[in-house]
């Protein structure tokens, strides 16, 4: 049995930052993730995607961010169980929990922190004929390695941040990038939309607004994508790769059966400390919900910090949380 102070379910950026905040308060962490590597969706889905809203980094790739966070938490020596899914939690008489995975790993912990991002997820797929015939043969639902698309003709579909960011990023890599969106405005960040509009004005990308996807074609491998415009005209766009970026469909998996208050596949929390309706269980990051919730990594970091302040009382019930700063070798610590 693994003994720890905090068991964090999810080893993405928010879960990793919770390790740092817990470490500052002398609390040990063990992380469990169903993915075979640390990094969550950032490492699994878009490791090379640039991120622009991390303080101190005008631009940093998803994997670089994870690598920096691993370096940051190394002094606190967290432990990991990867490639396993948490199946059961059992509350003990003293308030602590026994956590069990599908591979029979058992963890005894004082506090559980759910930082599982979107939980189990799968890409949302456009409803067009023959889509499944080209999966792995020109249709990709995520960009793992941008170099794959060098000097290729790429068609991206979507109107959110992911579609905008990848359009901007692949414009300098691919031979041709076409962005298709069914509306004439975007849901993504205004700054990202402005960058994409400028690329279109400069002739660096093709922008098809108010276009609806109707079909994709090819002879064993994708050759072109069909859309219709407002006038119902059929437009055929040559494509080596078609990348529909419509987001992910979240599924909580076993978490949904733990007695937590759930609203639309997200866990309801108290914004005082991001605690759930079950004492000693917290939820931080994209997996939680509350009025005014923003699904940003930065917001998850904030939630992790407040959560750790609250969790301290369960790990050290006889101690009061105080801070005494000293300077050792020129470094401020406590």
């Amino acid at each position: 049995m693994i003994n720890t102070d905090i068991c964090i379910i999810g080893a993405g950026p928010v879960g990793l930052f919770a390790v740092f905040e817990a470490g500052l308060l002398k609390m040990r962490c063990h992380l469990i993730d169903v993915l075979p590597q640390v990094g969550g969706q950032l490492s699994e889905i878009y490791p090379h995607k640039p991120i622009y809203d991390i303080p101190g980094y005008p631009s940093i790739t998803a994997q670089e961010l994870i690598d920096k966070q691993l370096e940051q938490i190394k002094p606190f020596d967290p432990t990991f169980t990867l490639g396993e899914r948490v199946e059961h939690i059992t509350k003990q008489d003293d308030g602590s929990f026994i956590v069990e995975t599908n591979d029979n790993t058992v963890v005894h912990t004082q506090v559980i922190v759910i930082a599982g991002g979107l939980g189990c997820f799968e890409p949302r797929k456009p409803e067009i004929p023959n889509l499944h015939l080209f999966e792995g043969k020109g249709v990709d639902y995520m960009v793992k390695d941008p170099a794959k698309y060098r000097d290729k003709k790429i068609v991206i579909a979507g109107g959110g941040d992911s579609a905008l960011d990848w359009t901007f990023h692949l414009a300098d890599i691919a031979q041709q990038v076409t962005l298709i969106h069914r509306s004439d405005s975007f849901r993504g960040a205004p700054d990202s939309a402005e960058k994409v509009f400028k690329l279109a004005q400069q002739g660096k990308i093709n922008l098809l607004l108010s276009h609806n996807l109707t079909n994709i074609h090819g002879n064993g491998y994708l050759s072109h994508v069909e859309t219709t415009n407002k006038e119902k005209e059929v437009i055929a766009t040559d494509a080596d790769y078609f990348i529909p970026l419509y987001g992910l469909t979240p599924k909580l998996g076993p978490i949904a059966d733990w007695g937590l208050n759930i609203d639309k596949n997200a866990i309801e929390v108290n914004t005082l400390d991001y605690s759930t309706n079950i004492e000693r269980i917290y939820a931080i990051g994209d997996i939680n919900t509350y009025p005014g919730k923003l699904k940003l990594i930065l917001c998850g970091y904030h939630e992790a910090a407040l959560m750790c302040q609250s969790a301290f009382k369960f790990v050290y019930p006889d101690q009061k949380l105080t801070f005494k700063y000293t300077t050792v070798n020129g470094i401020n610590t406590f």
Side-chain angles (χ1 to χ4, degrees):
M1 181 181 292
I2 299 168
N3 288 286
T4 190
D5 297 324
I6 299 178
C7 181
I8 301 174
I9 302 172
V14 173
L16 295 179
F17 190 71
V19 174
F20 175 76
E21 289 293 321
L24 293 178
L25 301 177
K26 310 300 182 186
M27 294 187 290
R28 298 167 298 149
C29 291
H30 182 80
L31 297 91
I32 303 175
D33 201 300
V34 69
L35 296 175
Q37 75 281 324
V38 173
Q41 297 163 35
L42 270 67
S43 296
E44 178 69 9
I45 301 178
Y46 43 81
H48 299 283
K49 183 178 183 292
I51 300 173
Y52 302 106
D53 57 357
I54 302 299
Y57 293 96
S59 176
I60 185 171
T61 68
Q63 189 57 54
E64 286 173 341
L65 177 61
I66 294 300
D67 292 341
K68 291 289 186 182
Q69 288 196 235
L70 285 171
E71 181 181 347
Q72 184 183 41
I73 65 175
K74 188 175 181 180
F76 302 118
D77 198 25
T79 52
F80 296 87
T81 295
L82 300 175
E84 297 183 27
R85 181 181 63 248
V86 174
E87 292 286 350
H88 306 289
I89 60 171
T90 307
K91 197 156 192 174
Q92 305 301 292
D93 292 340
D94 63 356
S96 64
F97 290 93
I98 297 295
V99 178
E100 300 175 71
T101 74
N102 63 312
D103 204 23
N104 299 318
T105 297
V106 180
V107 180
H108 178 241
T109 183
Q110 298 300 317
V111 171
I112 293 174
V113 176
I114 304 172
L118 296 176
C120 302
F121 54 88
E122 58 185 34
R124 294 191 178 99
K125 301 179 181 181
E127 295 182 1
I128 55 177
N130 302 325
L131 183 67
H132 66 285
L133 298 178
F134 295 97
E135 291 175 346
K137 300 176 182 179
V139 172
D140 292 339
Y141 297 108
M142 57 191 70
V143 179
K144 291 189 175 182
D145 182 9
K148 173 182 179 180
Y149 307 104
R150 186 170 300 281
D151 300 325
K152 302 295 184 180
K153 295 178 180 178
I154 311 300
V155 173
I156 297 174
D161 287 316
S162 188
L164 292 170
D165 289 346
W166 277 123
T167 297
F168 181 77
H169 187 66
L170 292 176
D172 292 327
I173 296 174
Q175 175 188 341
Q176 174 183 294
V177 175
T178 301
L179 176 60
I180 298 171
H181 185 37
R182 63 185 178 183
S183 176
D184 58 2
S185 60
F186 293 105
R187 302 185 311 276
D191 182 67
S192 298
E194 183 179 353
K195 289 178 180 178
V196 167
F197 280 125
K198 285 183 178 179
L199 288 176
Q201 291 169 358
Q202 295 166 0
K204 294 183 178 180
I205 66 166
N206 299 322
L207 187 57
L208 301 181
L209 298 179
S210 300
H211 277 242
N212 289 311
L213 287 165
T214 56
N215 215 329
I216 58 175
H217 297 279
N219 185 14
Y221 200 93
L222 180 69
S223 63
H224 63 279
V225 174
E226 277 188 4
T227 60
T228 56
N229 58 21
K230 288 182 177 179
E231 289 72 35
K232 305 301 181 182
E233 298 172 321
V234 177
I235 310 296
T237 303
D238 291 343
D240 297 307
Y241 290 97
F242 172 51
I243 312 172
L245 297 173
Y246 293 155
L248 303 170
T249 300
K251 295 181 179 179
L252 288 178
I255 294 174
D257 301 321
W258 294 352
L260 298 165
N261 290 339
I262 306 293
D263 180 23
K264 297 177 181 178
N265 282 315
I267 302 170
E268 295 181 343
V269 293
N270 182 343
T271 52
L272 178 69
D273 56 5
Y274 302 96
S275 57
T276 68
N277 58 299
I278 300 179
E279 188 177 65
R280 299 195 187 210
I281 299 182
Y282 299 82
I284 57 177
D286 286 355
I287 204 163
N288 74 16
T289 185
Y290 51 85
K293 169 71 177 183
L294 288 176
K295 292 190 175 184
L296 300 174
I297 295 173
L298 184 64
C299 295
Y301 291 164
H302 159 81
E303 296 163 12
L306 293 187
M307 174 278 298
C308 285
Q309 300 287 313
S310 175
F312 183 87
K313 63 179 176 288
F314 298 119
V315 177
Y316 298 111
D318 299 325
Q319 296 186 30
K320 185 178 181 181
L321 187 58
T322 58
F323 299 91
K324 294 183 180 179
Y325 288 90
T326 59
T327 300
V328 179
N329 297 327
I331 300 176
N332 291 328
T333 185
F334 63 86

